[in-house]
Amino acid sequence: MTHPEQEQRLSLADIETLARDVLLASGVSLAHADAIARNVTAAEADACRSHGVYRLLGYVRAVASGKADGEAVPVVTQTSPAIVKVDAGRGFAPLANELARPALVAAAQSLGIAVLAINNCYHNSAMWVDLEPLAEVGLVSIGLTAGQRSVAPHGGSKPVFGTNPFAFGWPRPDGEPFVFDFATSAVARGEIELHQRAGKSIPLGWAVDAEGRPTTDPALGLAGAMLPFGGHKGTALALMVELLAGPMIGDLTSQESFAEDEGRGSPPLGGELIIAFDPVRFLGDDAAEHMARAETLFSSISQQDGVRLPGDRRLAARAQSAREGVLVPKRLFDELQAIRARG
């Protein structure tokens, strides 16, 4: 565990400014820098450290390698009343999401259901941040994105899938929406990377080494293969995400994304699929009644001792971060400060 003297306390405003400055110093446009900084700050606020300021290093590498276009302007088109598409132009997903969101919301509210397909983007960010704004305007949503191959199927030892996260958002009449986001791997790849940076071992069940042997060494796990959560069930979900966020929207599989990277260590190049549902269009005058039934279901879970809803941990962390700021490892802070100084 890192010691307090090895960490730097920053306010959320400081985090957002740091992120923006680092990206601008690395040749990223202001529009991309603002969108990414908002995403990174949201992740830090919710104690999702593997998707917070640590991810800035990946954005910087992607631009420096020439793989990502930090000044790309996403192009939004509507190929049918229910289908919104964005060509991100090898730019980053947060800006593409923000620019396409109004069209997705309008289509879902008009038709009851609509989809957003983002193509040709580098997705390095927490996906729940993409869905929470949809829940805040009353939409239910599902989000999926693949990655670079790093996860072996259950029973195997060779990577095939990315961490392939799956996210879900549900609006609630009072308080924060219900939103969760999890990798279909046992853990996010960034968690293993953070353990490696901190000199900590990883739990058994997260990864195997290059020979397929269980390991607690993060370096060996990163060189080998991560494991799916839930055995064969996690494998099935990872494959579902792979198909829907890859071939279904005409974008790369995790294996193709890995090959395209050519070993440069950039974030995954590929696509993202978001499906949005409008309960009001589905249910009409009965919408409030049925959404209230959902609240009864939530209550039956949260009222049990020792049980919390998925996402509750993030919301508790968010409130604490707003009061106290967040702690960033001093080594990482110094690395980011050095990049910022170049600008």
Side-chain angles (χ1 to χ4, degrees), residues 77-130:
T77 57
Q78 196 147 353
T79 58
S80 83
I83 301 174
V84 179
K85 289 190 173 184
V86 189
D87 181 350
R90 297 180 75 94
F92 299 110
L95 180 60
N97 258 297
E98 290 188 4
L99 291 179
R101 188 172 296 135
L104 175 64
V105 170
Q109 290 174 339
S110 173
L111 301 170
I113 183 170
V115 300
L116 168 61
I118 302 176
N119 291 113
N120 204 19
C121 77
Y122 284 92
H123 199 294
N124 199 34
S125 49
M127 195 160 51
W128 60 264
V129 183
D130 301 341

Coordinates of all heavy atoms in Angstrom, one line a residue, residues 77-130:
T77 N -23.4 11.3 -38.2 CA -24.4 11.1 -39.2 C -25.5 10.3 -38.7 O -25.4 9.6 -37.7 CB -23.8 10.4 -40.5 OG1 -23.3 9.2 -40.1 CG2 -22.7 11.3 -41.1
Q78 N -26.7 10.4 -39.3 CA -27.9 9.6 -38.9 C -28.3 8.8 -40.1 O -28.9 9.3 -41.0 CB -29.0 10.5 -38.4 CG -30.1 9.8 -37.6 CD -30.7 10.7 -36.5 OE1 -30.3 11.8 -36.3 NE2 -31.7 10.1 -35.9
T79 N -27.9 7.5 -40.1 CA -28.2 6.7 -41.2 C -29.6 6.2 -41.3 O -30.0 5.7 -42.4 CB -27.2 5.5 -41.2 OG1 -27.4 4.7 -40.0 CG2 -25.8 6.0 -41.3
S80 N -30.3 6.2 -40.3 CA -31.8 5.9 -40.2 C -32.4 6.7 -39.0 O -31.6 7.2 -38.2 CB -32.0 4.4 -40.1 OG -31.9 4.0 -38.8
P81 N -33.7 6.8 -38.9 CA -34.2 7.5 -37.7 C -33.7 7.0 -36.4 O -33.6 7.7 -35.4 CB -35.7 7.3 -37.9 CG -35.9 7.1 -39.4 CD -34.7 6.4 -39.9
A82 N -33.4 5.7 -36.3 CA -33.0 5.1 -35.1 C -31.5 4.8 -34.9 O -31.0 4.4 -33.9 CB -33.7 3.7 -34.9
I83 N -30.7 5.1 -36.0 CA -29.3 4.8 -35.9 C -28.4 6.1 -36.1 O -28.5 6.7 -37.2 CB -28.9 3.8 -37.0 CG1 -29.7 2.5 -36.8 CG2 -27.4 3.5 -36.9 CD1 -29.5 1.5 -37.9
V84 N -27.7 6.4 -35.1 CA -26.8 7.5 -35.1 C -25.4 7.0 -35.2 O -25.0 6.1 -34.4 CB -26.9 8.5 -33.9 CG1 -25.9 9.6 -33.9 CG2 -28.3 9.0 -33.7
K85 N -24.6 7.5 -36.1 CA -23.2 7.0 -36.2 C -22.2 8.1 -36.1 O -22.5 9.3 -36.4 CB -23.0 6.3 -37.6 CG -23.6 4.9 -37.7 CD -23.2 4.2 -39.0 CE -23.7 2.8 -39.0 NZ -23.2 2.1 -40.2
V86 N -21.0 7.8 -35.6 CA -20.0 8.8 -35.5 C -18.7 8.2 -36.0 O -18.3 7.1 -35.5 CB -19.7 9.3 -34.0 CG1 -18.7 10.4 -34.0 CG2 -21.0 9.6 -33.3
D87 N -18.0 8.8 -36.9 CA -16.7 8.5 -37.3 C -15.8 9.4 -36.5 O -15.7 10.6 -36.7 CB -16.5 8.7 -38.8 CG -15.0 8.3 -39.3 OD1 -14.2 8.0 -38.4 OD2 -14.8 8.3 -40.5
A88 N -15.1 8.8 -35.5 CA -14.2 9.5 -34.6 C -12.9 9.9 -35.3 O -12.1 10.7 -34.7 CB -14.0 8.7 -33.3
G89 N -12.6 9.4 -36.5 CA -11.4 9.8 -37.2 C -10.1 9.5 -36.5 O -9.1 10.3 -36.5
R90 N -10.1 8.4 -35.7 CA -8.9 7.9 -34.9 C -8.7 8.9 -33.8 O -7.5 9.0 -33.2 CB -7.7 7.8 -35.8 CG -7.8 6.7 -36.8 CD -6.5 6.6 -37.7 NE -5.5 5.9 -36.9 CZ -5.3 4.5 -36.9 NH1 -6.0 3.8 -37.7 NH2 -4.3 4.0 -36.2
G91 N -9.7 9.6 -33.4 CA -9.6 10.4 -32.2 C -10.1 9.6 -31.0 O -10.2 8.4 -31.0
F92 N -10.4 10.4 -29.9 CA -10.8 9.7 -28.6 C -12.3 9.7 -28.4 O -13.0 10.6 -28.8 CB -10.0 10.4 -27.5 CG -8.6 10.3 -27.6 CD1 -7.8 11.4 -27.9 CD2 -7.9 9.0 -27.5 CE1 -6.4 11.3 -28.1 CE2 -6.5 8.9 -27.6 CZ -5.8 10.1 -27.9
A93 N -12.7 8.6 -27.7 CA -14.2 8.4 -27.5 C -14.9 9.5 -26.8 O -16.1 9.7 -27.1 CB -14.4 7.0 -26.9
P94 N -14.4 10.1 -25.7 CA -15.2 11.0 -24.9 C -15.8 12.2 -25.8 O -17.0 12.5 -25.6 CB -14.2 11.5 -23.9 CG -13.3 10.4 -23.6 CD -13.1 9.8 -25.0
L95 N -15.0 12.7 -26.7 CA -15.5 13.8 -27.5 C -16.6 13.3 -28.5 O -17.6 14.0 -28.7 CB -14.4 14.5 -28.2 CG -14.8 15.7 -29.2 CD1 -15.5 16.8 -28.4 CD2 -13.6 16.3 -29.9
A96 N -16.3 12.2 -29.1 CA -17.3 11.6 -30.0 C -18.6 11.3 -29.3 O -19.7 11.6 -29.8 CB -16.8 10.3 -30.6
N97 N -18.6 10.8 -28.1 CA -19.8 10.6 -27.3 C -20.5 11.9 -27.0 O -21.8 12.0 -27.2 CB -19.4 10.0 -25.9 CG -19.7 8.5 -25.9 OD1 -20.8 8.1 -26.0 ND2 -18.6 7.7 -25.8
E98 N -19.8 12.9 -26.6 CA -20.5 14.2 -26.2 C -21.1 14.8 -27.5 O -22.2 15.4 -27.4 CB -19.5 15.1 -25.6 CG -19.0 14.7 -24.2 CD -18.2 15.8 -23.5 OE1 -18.0 16.9 -24.1 OE2 -17.7 15.5 -22.4
L99 N -20.5 14.8 -28.6 CA -21.0 15.4 -29.8 C -22.2 14.7 -30.3 O -23.1 15.3 -30.9 CB -19.9 15.5 -30.9 CG -18.8 16.5 -30.6 CD1 -17.8 16.5 -31.7 CD2 -19.3 17.9 -30.4
A100 N -22.3 13.4 -30.2 CA -23.4 12.6 -30.7 C -24.5 12.4 -29.8 O -25.6 12.0 -30.2 CB -22.8 11.2 -31.1
R101 N -24.3 12.7 -28.5 CA -25.4 12.5 -27.5 C -26.7 13.2 -27.8 O -27.8 12.5 -27.7 CB -24.9 12.8 -26.1 CG -25.8 12.4 -25.0 CD -25.1 12.7 -23.6 NE -23.9 11.8 -23.5 CZ -22.8 12.3 -23.0 NH1 -22.6 13.5 -22.7 NH2 -21.7 11.5 -22.9
P102 N -26.7 14.4 -28.2 CA -28.0 15.1 -28.5 C -28.8 14.3 -29.6 O -30.1 14.2 -29.4 CB -27.6 16.5 -28.9 CG -26.3 16.7 -28.3 CD -25.6 15.4 -28.3
A103 N -28.2 13.9 -30.6 CA -28.9 13.1 -31.7 C -29.4 11.8 -31.1 O -30.5 11.4 -31.5 CB -28.0 12.9 -32.9
L104 N -28.6 11.1 -30.3 CA -29.1 9.9 -29.7 C -30.3 10.1 -28.8 O -31.3 9.3 -28.9 CB -27.9 9.2 -28.9 CG -28.3 7.9 -28.2 CD1 -28.7 6.8 -29.1 CD2 -27.2 7.5 -27.3
V105 N -30.2 11.1 -28.0 CA -31.3 11.4 -27.1 C -32.6 11.7 -27.9 O -33.7 11.2 -27.6 CB -31.0 12.5 -26.1 CG1 -32.2 13.0 -25.3 CG2 -29.9 12.1 -25.1
A106 N -32.5 12.5 -28.9 CA -33.6 12.9 -29.7 C -34.2 11.7 -30.4 O -35.5 11.6 -30.4 CB -33.2 14.0 -30.7
A107 N -33.4 10.9 -30.9 CA -33.9 9.7 -31.6 C -34.6 8.7 -30.7 O -35.7 8.2 -31.0 CB -32.8 9.0 -32.3
A108 N -34.0 8.5 -29.5 CA -34.6 7.6 -28.5 C -36.0 8.2 -28.0 O -37.0 7.4 -27.9 CB -33.7 7.4 -27.4
Q109 N -36.0 9.5 -27.8 CA -37.3 10.1 -27.3 C -38.4 10.1 -28.4 O -39.6 10.0 -28.1 CB -37.0 11.5 -26.8 CG -36.2 11.5 -25.5 CD -35.8 12.9 -25.1 OE1 -35.8 13.8 -25.9 NE2 -35.5 13.1 -23.8
S110 N -38.0 10.1 -29.6 CA -38.9 10.1 -30.7 C -39.4 8.7 -31.0 O -40.6 8.5 -31.2 CB -38.3 10.7 -32.0 OG -39.1 10.5 -33.1
L111 N -38.5 7.7 -31.0 CA -38.9 6.4 -31.4 C -39.0 5.3 -30.3 O -39.6 4.3 -30.5 CB -37.8 5.8 -32.4 CG -37.5 6.7 -33.6 CD1 -36.3 6.2 -34.3 CD2 -38.7 6.7 -34.6
G112 N -38.6 5.7 -29.1 CA -38.6 4.7 -28.0 C -37.3 4.0 -27.9 O -36.9 3.6 -26.7
I113 N -36.6 3.7 -28.9 CA -35.3 3.1 -28.9 C -34.4 3.6 -30.0 O -34.9 3.8 -31.1 CB -35.4 1.5 -29.0 CG1 -34.1 0.8 -28.8 CG2 -36.1 1.1 -30.3 CD1 -34.2 -0.7 -28.7
A114 N -33.1 3.8 -29.7 CA -32.2 4.2 -30.7 C -30.8 3.7 -30.4 O -30.5 3.4 -29.2 CB -32.2 5.8 -30.9
V115 N -29.9 3.7 -31.3 CA -28.5 3.3 -31.1 C -27.5 4.3 -31.5 O -27.8 5.0 -32.5 CB -28.2 1.9 -31.7 CG1 -29.2 0.8 -31.2 CG2 -28.3 2.0 -33.2
L116 N -26.4 4.3 -30.8 CA -25.3 5.1 -31.2 C -24.1 4.2 -31.5 O -23.7 3.4 -30.6 CB -24.9 6.1 -30.1 CG -23.5 6.9 -30.3 CD1 -23.5 7.7 -31.6 CD2 -23.3 7.7 -29.1
A117 N -23.5 4.3 -32.7 CA -22.4 3.5 -33.1 C -21.2 4.4 -33.3 O -21.3 5.2 -34.2 CB -22.7 2.6 -34.3
I118 N -20.2 4.3 -32.5 CA -19.0 5.1 -32.7 C -17.9 4.2 -33.3 O -17.6 3.2 -32.8 CB -18.5 5.7 -31.3 CG1 -19.5 6.5 -30.6 CG2 -17.2 6.5 -31.5 CD1 -19.1 7.0 -29.3
N119 N -17.4 4.7 -34.4 CA -16.4 3.9 -35.1 C -15.1 4.7 -35.1 O -15.0 5.9 -35.0 CB -16.8 3.7 -36.6 CG -18.0 2.7 -36.7 OD1 -19.1 3.1 -37.1 ND2 -17.8 1.5 -36.4
N120 N -14.0 3.9 -35.3 CA -12.7 4.4 -35.5 C -12.2 5.3 -34.4 O -11.7 6.4 -34.6 CB -12.7 5.2 -36.8 CG -11.4 5.4 -37.5 OD1 -10.4 4.6 -37.2 ND2 -11.3 6.4 -38.4
C121 N -12.5 4.9 -33.1 CA -12.1 5.7 -32.0 C -11.2 4.9 -31.0 O -11.1 3.7 -31.0 CB -13.4 6.1 -31.2 SG -14.1 4.8 -30.2
Y122 N -10.4 5.7 -30.3 CA -9.6 5.1 -29.2 C -10.4 5.3 -27.9 O -10.7 6.4 -27.5 CB -8.2 5.9 -29.1 CG -7.3 5.5 -30.2 CD1 -7.2 6.1 -31.4 CD2 -6.5 4.3 -30.0 CE1 -6.3 5.7 -32.4 CE2 -5.6 3.9 -31.0 CZ -5.5 4.6 -32.2 OH -4.6 4.2 -33.2
H123 N -10.7 4.1 -27.3 CA -11.6 4.1 -26.1 C -10.7 3.7 -25.0 O -10.3 2.6 -24.9 CB -12.7 3.2 -26.3 CG -13.9 3.4 -25.3 ND1 -13.7 3.3 -23.9 CD2 -15.1 3.9 -25.5 CE1 -14.8 3.6 -23.3 NE2 -15.7 4.0 -24.2
N124 N -10.4 4.7 -24.1 CA -9.5 4.5 -23.0 C -10.1 4.9 -21.7 O -9.5 5.1 -20.7 CB -8.2 5.3 -23.2 CG -7.0 4.8 -22.4 OD1 -6.9 3.6 -22.1 ND2 -6.2 5.8 -22.0
S125 N -11.5 5.1 -21.7 CA -12.1 5.8 -20.6 C -13.2 5.0 -19.9 O -13.7 3.9 -20.4 CB -12.8 7.1 -21.2 OG -13.5 6.8 -22.3
A126 N -13.6 5.4 -18.7 CA -14.7 4.7 -18.0 C -16.0 4.9 -18.8 O -16.4 6.0 -19.2 CB -14.9 5.4 -16.6
M127 N -16.7 3.8 -19.0 CA -17.9 3.8 -19.9 C -19.1 4.3 -19.2 O -20.1 4.8 -19.8 CB -18.1 2.5 -20.6 CG -19.1 2.5 -21.7 SD -18.9 1.1 -22.9 CE -19.0 -0.2 -21.8
W128 N -19.2 4.1 -17.8 CA -20.4 4.6 -17.1 C -20.5 6.1 -17.3 O -21.6 6.6 -17.3 CB -20.3 4.2 -15.6 CG -19.1 4.8 -14.9 CD1 -18.0 4.1 -14.6 CD2 -19.0 6.1 -14.3 NE1 -17.2 4.9 -13.8 CE2 -17.8 6.1 -13.6 CE3 -19.9 7.2 -14.2 CZ2 -17.3 7.3 -12.9 CZ3 -19.5 8.3 -13.5 CH2 -18.2 8.3 -12.9
V129 N -19.4 6.8 -17.6 CA -19.5 8.2 -17.8 C -20.3 8.5 -19.1 O -20.9 9.6 -19.2 CB -18.1 8.9 -17.9 CG1 -18.1 10.4 -18.0 CG2 -17.3 8.5 -16.6
D130 N -20.2 7.6 -20.0 CA -21.0 7.8 -21.3 C -22.5 7.6 -21.0 O -23.3 8.2 -21.8 CB -20.6 6.8 -22.3 CG -19.1 6.8 -22.6 OD1 -18.5 7.9 -22.4 OD2 -18.5 5.9 -23.2

